[in-house]
Amino acid sequence: MNAMFEGYESTGPAYDEMFDGEGLRSPYARLRQTLQTLTTPELVSRVEALQASYLDQGVTFDIGGEERAFPLDILPRVIEQDTWSQLDTGVQQRVKALEMFLADVYDAGQVFDDGVIPRRVVTTSSHYHRAAANVRPPNGVRVHVSGIDLIRDNLGEFRVLEDNVRVPSGVSYVMTNRRAITSALPETTAAHRIRPVAAYPQRLLAALRAAAPAGVTDPTVVVLTPGVYNGAYFEHALLARTMGVELVEGRDLECRRGRVMMRTTQGLAPVHVIYRRVDDEFLDPVHFRADSMLGCPGMIDAARAGNVVLANAVGNGVADDKLVYTYLPDIIRYYLAEEPVIKNVDTWRVGDAEAREEVLDRLDELVLKPVDGSGGKGIVIGPRATRPELDELRAKILESPRDWIAQPVVQLSTVPTFVDGELGPRHVDLRPFAVNDGTRVWVLPGGLTRVALAKGELIVNSSRGGGSKDTWVLAGPPVSHVELGGDVEGAEDETEQVELPEPPAAPPLSTRPETPGPAITDMHEQAEQQQQEGPR
């Protein structure tokens, strides 16, 4: 390992989180010290054991019909407590503002009347649903779970890249990564005081139970999955198992007299809270896609009647729109009378004529993103694009400018990563997960670090060949939290270890229908269409 670190090159404009030129940054001092005794063959052996373990457990994702172990780099990412404390506060602030924004958008619309954001920006979003208007959750929570994507810029400052409050995914990899790295590097893990992540299922379950309809003291909570063909089925099964609740598909549910019921071996049983991992458009064929086979007819009416709670709420996706993202700093100031703790990445609204003119002049310098894209789809990195690609992009922008935003090329920070037997810098981002129970917003310490495994690649999504790292938040003083209705208070220091049950394996391909009929084929295709599933 010493030889590999000596040959490590972190030169370039990107901020390297481990090395400051020739020097070693403080969070990584102990990590390097504990790794010095490992030889390259020993490290390779442990990497191979990691991959075999993930295949055995079903920790996989699907690319072109082929199931592969989700790549996990053996070297963790380390974040100091002081840095994490700021991120924790910033994520809470953002979630709180998004909650207030969504409540306003689907009710009074005061944010429009006061000129903070144009009404047309929201109503023209592909994820704005009138069916969600005036549906008021019992405890006021619409964003039960959020994943706020962060990057670290050239100066080492964290910035928000995008918001995910519709169907955020990837938290299962946070938990399984921790277990895997603890087994692979026991001596290194033991040398650090790391904040645990295994309490997440209990936090989520508590938040879901707190969201139950009025008068329900012992709510039935279920996890709604598109089924085994979905790329994130492993996560759905893991969360259902660790929370101790039922994992259901749309065909397991039935709506009667404005209530959602679950089919069981003992007859129909009432369901009060549905943690849904199905996109809005597939939830209820009465209100959305009539051909959906993944949801349940009548579900939206049951939610409107207050008899069932959908988590996250229908219509949340409007806050994921990258054009709405550009207004978030103003939205935070409007609702909270605070400056954003974590800044946005500088962004041009291509729908604005003046900004569009500048962007079109600089297409070969900027990154262009579709406002409703996910998984890195549709992104064009100007400096790497060919002339025909830029000409095609220009035509798309002129045809529908509202559908695009532009950003400068941000060199995401790098972290040492072990790829093909060598140690080299690879670009990373970070998705902290937050859970809102209506009283406080709790942020899982660490989150999902996604890493672009190809040298120089800036897109970290798994669909583009990315992997992940275990994210270590070093324990320190208690982390503060924001009360939704009050002041900042101290939170408990969660450094105790919580045992996480072994994850369930996804059904092997051999158990899936070889020649599905038409209905099953449609269900298969719809399950794969889910927009935000998988750690994209």
Side-chain angles (χ1 to χ4, degrees):
M1 286 299 293
N2 275 335
M4 283 190 287
F5 276 120
E6 289 170 3
Y8 181 84
E9 296 182 0
S10 59
T11 57
Y15 178 91
D16 192 87
E17 298 191 13
M18 185 169 186
F19 290 98
D20 181 8
E22 297 297 325
L24 190 67
R25 300 190 194 277
S26 57
Y28 286 89
R30 185 172 295 178
L31 176 66
R32 179 171 178 176
Q33 182 180 3
T34 58
L35 291 174
Q36 287 184 103
T37 58
L38 288 179
T39 64
T40 301
E42 287 177 321
L43 195 63
V44 170
S45 175
R46 298 190 188 196
V47 169
E48 291 174 348
L50 271 180
Q51 294 173 343
S53 171
Y54 266 26
L55 277 175
D56 291 343
Q57 296 179 39
V59 188
T60 61
F61 68 105
D62 185 282
I63 291 185
E66 179 184 353
E67 297 237 4
R68 304 180 187 177
F70 186 64
L72 169 62
D73 183 53
I74 196 167
L75 298 181
R77 181 188 196 177
V78 184
I79 299 177
E80 287 184 303
Q81 174 61 30
D82 290 346
T83 300
W84 177 254
S85 181
Q86 181 183 19
L87 299 182
D88 184 284
T89 302
V91 170
Q92 293 174 47
Q93 178 194 60
R94 200 156 180 111
V95 172
K96 184 179 178 182
L98 287 168
E99 282 280 12
M100 299 175 75
F101 172 69
L102 288 167
D104 195 3
V105 160
Y106 286 108
D107 201 326
Q110 193 65 40
V111 69
F112 306 135
D113 296 339
D114 291 339
V116 179
I117 180 173
R119 187 183 298 270
R120 67 178 182 279
V121 169
V122 172
T123 56
T124 57
S125 171
S126 62
H127 299 301
Y128 175 74
H129 296 305
R130 297 186 184 279
N134 299 315
V135 178
R136 299 179 177 89
N139 67 341
V141 177
R142 286 171 168 78
V143 185
H144 304 81
V145 179
S146 58
I148 309 298
D149 288 350
L150 309 176
I151 57 98
R152 210 166 189 173
D153 64 18
N154 302 9
L155 301 177
E157 180 181 3
F158 276 97
R159 289 178 178 262
V160 177
L161 185 64
E162 63 181 53
D163 304 292
N164 297 284
V165 296
R166 184 165 45 121
V167 193
S169 63
V171 73
S172 61
Y173 299 106
V174 178
M175 297 184 288
T176 53
N177 287 355
R178 178 60 52 83
R179 182 196 292 108
I181 294 300
T182 300
S183 298
L185 296 175
E187 62 275 74
T188 304
T189 307
H192 292 77
R193 190 162 179 256
I194 309 163
R195 296 191 64 192
V197 297
Y200 180 86
Q202 288 71 41
R203 292 279 187 172
L204 176 57
L205 179 60
L208 295 174
R209 290 177 60 85
V216 178
T217 57
D218 186 20
T220 297
V221 177
V222 299
V223 176
L224 176 62
T225 177
V228 297
Y229 292 110
N230 185 258
Y233 181 78
F234 165 79
E235 176 159 303
H236 309 161
L238 175 63
L239 290 175
R241 178 174 176 177
T242 52
M243 287 193 293
V245 304
E246 293 291 338
L247 179 67
V248 301
E249 298 182 30
R251 56 190 173 183
D252 299 319
L253 302 177
E254 179 180 327
C255 289
R256 290 192 176 186
R257 298 177 182 176
R259 299 181 184 276
V260 178
M261 312 296 286
M262 172 175 57
R263 295 186 178 90
T264 73
T265 55
Q266 298 171 341
L268 294 177
V271 173
H272 305 106
V273 181
I274 301 174
Y275 178 43
R276 53 99 175 195
R277 300 301 297 265
V278 174
D279 285 347
D280 293 354
E281 292 79 7
F282 292 88
L283 270 177
D284 187 337
V286 174
H287 289 273
F288 300 115
R289 285 186 48 160
D291 64 339
S292 174
M293 304 178 67
L294 305 180
C296 175
M299 191 181 295
I300 298 299
D301 291 335
R304 185 180 296 279
N307 295 324
V308 72
V309 171
L310 301 176
N312 284 348
V314 171
N316 276 13
V318 71
D320 291 1
D321 189 299
K322 293 180 179 63
L323 184 55
V324 174
Y325 156 91
T326 67
Y327 292 91
L328 250 294
D330 291 333
I331 288 171
I332 290 172
R333 297 183 188 103
Y334 175 71
Y335 289 113
L336 304 180
E338 300 171 355
E339 284 299 310
V341 174
I342 311 175
K343 299 177 183 177
N344 277 15
V345 174
D346 296 336
T347 308
W348 287 267
R349 299 167 188 152
V350 181
D352 296 347
E354 186 176 340
R356 181 165 63 254
E357 183 177 353
E358 179 179 356
V359 168
L360 290 174
D361 287 341
R362 300 176 56 194
L363 280 183
D364 59 346
E365 303 174 18
L366 304 175
V367 176
L368 275 293
K369 298 180 178 180
V371 296
D372 60 352
S374 63
K377 296 177 182 177
I379 292 178
V380 179
I381 301 177
R384 299 183 181 180
T386 63
R387 176 52 55 186
E389 288 173 337
L390 292 177
D391 290 342
E392 182 183 356
L393 174 63
R394 182 183 300 274
K396 289 180 178 179
I397 289 174
L398 291 173
E399 180 182 357
S400 184
R402 188 257 184 250
D403 294 342
W404 296 88
I405 61 166
Q407 295 175 336
V409 177
V410 179
Q411 292 291 330
L412 282 63
S413 60
T414 58
V415 178
T417 304
F418 190 70
V419 181
D420 297 330
E422 295 182 352
L423 199 64
R426 294 295 187 271
H427 296 287
V428 296
D429 75 352
L430 177 65
R431 176 176 290 182
F433 292 90
V435 175
N436 184 2
D437 65 5
T439 303
R440 61 170 288 196
V441 177
W442 175 78
V443 183
L444 178 68
L448 178 65
T449 288
R450 300 181 297 182
V451 55
L453 297 178
K455 188 174 182 179
E457 177 62 65
L458 293 174
I459 299 179
V460 299
N461 309 85
S462 62
S463 56
R464 299 286 289 269
S468 70
K469 283 177 171 286
D470 189 15
T471 310
W472 292 2
V473 173
L474 301 182
V479 178
S480 64
H481 69 268
V482 176
E483 292 289 340
L484 294 183
D487 301 324
V488 175
E489 298 181 2
E492 67 275 17
D493 184 4
E494 301 166 0
T495 56
E496 74 282 358
Q497 295 295 324
V498 181
E499 184 66 25
L500 183 68
E502 286 298 316
L509 289 174
S510 59
T511 66
R512 303 178 184 179
E514 294 183 2
T515 55
I520 299 300
T521 299
D522 292 343
M523 186 177 296
H524 182 174
E525 293 172 352
Q526 289 182 9
E528 290 182 333
Q529 287 176 13
Q530 302 303 287
Q531 296 298 310
Q532 278 187 287
E533 294 301 332
R536 299 186 172 89

